[in-house]
Structures are given as C-alpha cells and as structure tokens.
Amino acid sequence: MISTVTAGTTESPAMRVIFLVLMGVVVVAGLTLTIVRALHSTKPREAQMARLAAELDGRNQVCIRKMEIGLSQEDLLRVAGSRGYSLIDHRVGKYYEFVYTPHQPGRFA
C-alpha cells in the first residue's frame, strides 16, 4: 500500500518548471515593489509632503509604510495637523498610521 502511494507522487519535469517560473515571478514582483517604494522616499521633501497631504483626504485612517516616505517626524506631524489628523508611529510594523481627529489634530502616539 505504501509503495503504491509513494510511486504515484513522482513529479513531472513540467510541474517543476511551472513551480520555478511562478516562484521567479513572485521574487521579481517583490523586488519591483521594494524598488518603487525606495524611489518614493528619495524624492524632494516638498514633493513628499505634497504626496502625503494628497493622501490625507478625509478618510478615517490612512496607513503608510516608513519605507515609502523619508520625512522627519516633525514634517509628518506638521502635514497631519494641517489636515486634521493625528500620527501613530508603529515601530514594530514599520508604518505610520494617520487617524482623522479634527477635534485634536497634530497629536503623536
């Protein structure tokens, strides 16, 4: 019985090639996203602040990865406060969370 089950599990070369191609696509997609995020953080300070202000458009919550933005914490608080948002720094998850708080804008947590 065991020899019958193990005899049926031989992989065909075509399945191996398909697996390798799919894994290659995943790796290339991951590298592309990393490069694009890194390029966003190298833009001039004013461009990054304008991009952040455009994303803070009144939604209750906006999350941005730290890798995508290269602004200082003071700049982030300045933009967040001007739009009515508070800033939460998630150090473990490595992202910033902006919470819409029009009654207390510009707070940091």
Side-chain angles (χ1 to χ4, degrees):
M1 178 73 179
I2 293 176
S3 62
T4 306
V5 172
T6 58
T9 61
T10 59
E11 296 178 11
S12 68
M15 290 299 289
R16 209 172 266 204
V17 169
I18 291 173
F19 174 76
L20 290 175
V21 168
L22 288 176
M23 291 309 293
V25 168
V26 168
V27 168
V28 168
L31 285 173
T32 302
L33 286 174
T34 302
I35 291 169
V36 167
R37 287 179 177 168
L39 289 176
H40 278 282
S41 68
T42 60
K43 289 187 177 181
R45 178 177 170 256
E46 291 79 19
Q48 289 186 40
M49 290 177 81
R51 183 175 158 258
L52 176 61
E55 289 194 33
L56 302 178
D57 57 0
R59 291 179 281 173
N60 289 334
Q61 178 184 15
V62 177
C63 295
I64 298 176
R65 294 224 169 262
K66 289 183 178 183
M67 182 180 194
E68 295 177 17
I69 198 155
L71 294 173
S72 68
Q73 203 167 46
E74 293 79 23
D75 289 337
L76 293 171
L77 283 170
R78 185 175 303 124
V79 174
S82 71
R83 296 297 204 155
Y85 283 83
S86 296
L87 173 65
I88 302 170
D89 184 5
H90 293 276
R91 293 187 178 142
V92 175
K94 296 183 180 179
Y95 67 96
Y96 295 112
E97 179 181 1
F98 296 89
V99 179
Y100 189 61
T101 54
H103 54 283
Q104 294 179 332
R107 297 188 62 184
F108 177 74

